[in-house]
Amino acid sequence: MLSRLLSAWRPFWLLIGAWFFGALMYLSLYVQALGVAVPSALLSAVPYIGTVVVLVLISRDARRIRLYRPAMLGRAVPRASVGISVRVSPSVVSEKA
């Protein structure tokens, strides 16, 4: 869900966001392997901090998020349009009794 929100409901940006998160995770592991004097907990948090920063930057423009979101988001699906009808035959009902 978070990745869809980060991408503002566009598949290409979803791919870029996943690549960005993976690159930050790789970078944090690489810096740990180099032996840089930074706490490992902070380096492990770098991808998540980057995600929060991107969320803050994206959420500033609510118009853009509303523009690309699905039209039926948050609305109940009408029963008639679901298209699933379950019919129970009388023989199945009598077998259960």
Side-chain angles (χ1 to χ4, degrees):
M1 175 73 171
L2 179 62
S3 58
R4 285 184 294 195
L5 182 62
L6 280 174
S7 66
W9 302 101
R10 291 184 287 176
F12 176 74
W13 287 107
L14 177 69
L15 181 66
I16 297 296
W19 181 84
F20 176 71
F21 186 84
L24 286 177
M25 185 163 286
Y26 173 77
L27 181 66
S28 67
L29 293 174
Y30 184 74
V31 170
Q32 283 179 11
L34 288 177
V36 177
V38 177
S40 64
L42 179 64
L43 287 175
S44 296
V46 165
Y48 304 101
I49 293 169
T51 302
V52 170
V53 168
V54 169
L55 273 174
V56 167
L57 293 175
I58 288 176
S59 67
R60 293 186 319 177
D61 190 9
R63 181 185 56 83
R64 183 175 139 218
I65 293 174
R66 277 194 310 270
L67 180 65
Y68 293 109
R69 74 177 177 200
M72 290 296 291
L73 184 66
R75 294 185 186 171
V77 178
R79 273 250 189 249
S81 69
V82 173
I84 300 172
S85 70
V86 178
R87 295 182 186 191
V88 179
S89 66
S91 62
V92 173
V93 174
S94 63
E95 288 175 6
K96 289 185 179 180

